[in-house]
Each structure stands twice: as structure tokens, then as C-alpha cells.
Amino acid sequence: MQQAERICPTSPEVLGRRGLIETGQENYDEAIALLTQALENGCRYEEVYGMLLHCWKRLDNKQAFNEVRRKFGKHFDDVNMEPEVETLPWVDALSTLSYPLFSRFVEAEDPTDPGVRACQIFVNAVQSPPNSGGRVSLDQKAAAQLWDTILQRLAGKEQISVLQAIALSIQLFAKREKGIAALISQYQQKLISLSIEYPEAKVANLVILAVKENSPLNI
């Protein structure tokens, strides 16, 4: 890093890497300036973009967070957002459609939120880096045990968002390995059962079906 800075200190790639280092040291003001400058000057390293979002999230500045997504998200396939509408943190994370961004977003959120916790369980059960299609291998047994523990603690209506978060995280980011389709179906069936009493469960299941069919419907 020091050698690169001596050779070309104004390079967007150098600025971005220095910003990552400053973030790791929790120097957020310096990190934000460096990461922003790097992206403005053409750096397209996804880690730089994700870390800038992480900084604003840590500083709890939703407006700046959304502005970064509006300004640079198109370069990282992070385009599904409606900043004028306040959305749940786990919905924001899933809407990135990028596993690296999704994992970073949910890891920074409050684990007492059941939907967030469901997504964190997915991230913690991942067994491989994303493949070329952006999908990861999942320890299905470990994840299912923890998901079922959460669901057992919640009343019927409270389970809806958790079931939706589980099914969507698997659908969007898990490799199509043996057992994955059955796992998604398992949680969808729970939503179908809940839909008899709660219309919200039917809507949640329709969203999952739309995502399965590659519908343009925003999640």
C-alpha cells in the first residue's frame, strides 16, 4: 500500500484501499472522504462501495446512505431502492441482490429484529465464497435449526416477515444444491398455512413466487 501511494497517490484504486484501511481503524470521517473520492474518480471495486455504505450505516445517516446508493449503486448492480419510503433493514439488505452487500448490511443491523436475525443466520451458515453467479453454499441443517428456534418463539402473525426473509435469502443467494428447493418450499408452506388467518402471509408468499419467476417486482 505504501509503495502504491508513493507511485500514484491520487489513483482511485489507491484512495479506495486507503479508505478501507481507515474504515478498519474506525476513522470514519477520513474513510468516507477517501472512499467517496475513489468512487467519484472511477474506482469500481465492490468492497469500496460496500464499505462506504457500511460507514454511513454505522454513523446512522440514512440520507447519506441512500445518496451513495443513488449515485454509485448502478455501477454495482445495486439499483432496487426507493429512498423516499422507509423500509425494514432486512428488506433493504435483500433488495441489493448482491450477496457481499447483503451480508455486510445485515451484519451491521440489530440482531433482536427477527427478520434481520433470520438473514444473519443465513450469512453465518454460508460455507463458501460467492460463485460467478453470486451464490453461496449453505449449511442447510445448521441454518434450519436456528430458523426454527426463532419461529417457535413467535406468534403466528410475527412469523410472517421471518418466513419471508428466510425464503428470499435462500432463493436469492443459495447455490442450487440438493435440498435447497425443499427448504424454500418448507417455509413457503408455513406461509400458506398462515395465510388462512392472515392476508399478509399470502402477500409475502406472492412476493417469493414473483422472485422465483424472475419477476421485476421489487422485494
Side-chain angles (χ1 to χ4, degrees):
M1 186 65 212
Q2 291 173 347
Q3 183 177 356
E5 287 177 323
R6 285 195 297 271
I7 295 170
C8 189
T10 60
S11 163
E13 302 301 328
V14 172
L15 293 171
R17 269 63 173 188
R18 174 54 64 185
L20 295 178
I21 293 171
E22 295 296 333
T23 305
Q25 297 173 351
E26 299 187 354
N27 299 325
Y28 293 121
D29 289 341
E30 182 69 15
I32 286 169
L34 288 164
L35 296 169
T36 302
Q37 188 177 353
L39 292 170
E40 287 177 340
N41 287 281
C43 177
R44 295 298 177 258
Y45 182 37
E46 188 173 44
E47 188 75 10
V48 169
Y49 174 66
M51 199 59 77
L52 180 56
L53 291 174
H54 171 74
C55 287
W56 285 124
K57 187 173 283 286
R58 288 298 299 269
L59 295 176
D60 197 26
N61 190 327
K62 184 71 172 177
Q63 182 177 350
F65 178 91
N66 283 332
E67 180 59 29
V68 170
R69 293 186 70 187
R70 279 196 299 270
K71 192 171 184 179
F72 303 114
K74 60 182 178 292
H75 301 299
F76 303 94
D77 295 325
D78 180 18
V79 294
N80 290 335
M81 63 172 296
E82 294 182 32
E84 297 81 8
V85 180
E86 189 68 25
T87 55
L88 297 171
W90 61 268
V91 175
D92 275 340
L94 286 164
S95 71
T96 67
L97 305 181
S98 162
Y99 177 74
L101 295 178
F102 164 76
S103 60
R104 182 169 288 111
F105 283 16
V106 299
E107 286 173 347
E109 290 296 342
D110 182 4
T112 61
D113 179 295
V116 169
R117 182 60 189 144
C119 293
Q120 290 174 339
I121 288 170
F122 180 95
V123 171
N124 292 335
V126 166
Q127 298 179 305
S128 71
N131 61 15
S132 59
R135 296 183 178 277
V136 294
S137 181
L138 186 69
D139 184 339
Q140 299 175 44
K141 183 177 180 181
Q145 287 177 342
L146 292 172
W147 283 328
D148 291 347
T149 298
I150 291 178
L151 291 167
Q152 288 169 7
R153 297 172 182 168
L154 300 174
K157 189 174 183 178
E158 295 173 326
Q159 293 182 3
I160 295 171
S161 63
V162 176
L163 291 166
Q164 187 178 24
I166 292 169
L168 287 174
S169 61
I170 300 171
Q171 179 64 38
L172 289 170
F173 304 122
K175 289 182 181 178
R176 292 303 179 258
E177 299 172 326
K178 182 178 180 181
I180 284 294
L183 192 62
I184 297 172
S185 179
Q186 172 185 327
Y187 294 108
Q188 279 192 273
Q189 288 300 318
K190 292 180 184 292
L191 278 173
I192 291 170
S193 297
L194 287 170
S195 67
I196 298 172
E197 187 173 357
Y198 306 106
E200 301 96 319
K202 185 175 183 179
V203 174
N205 188 49
L206 288 173
V207 171
I208 296 166
L209 290 172
V211 172
K212 274 188 173 182
E213 296 169 5
N214 296 316
S215 166
L217 177 64
N218 288 329
I219 58 174

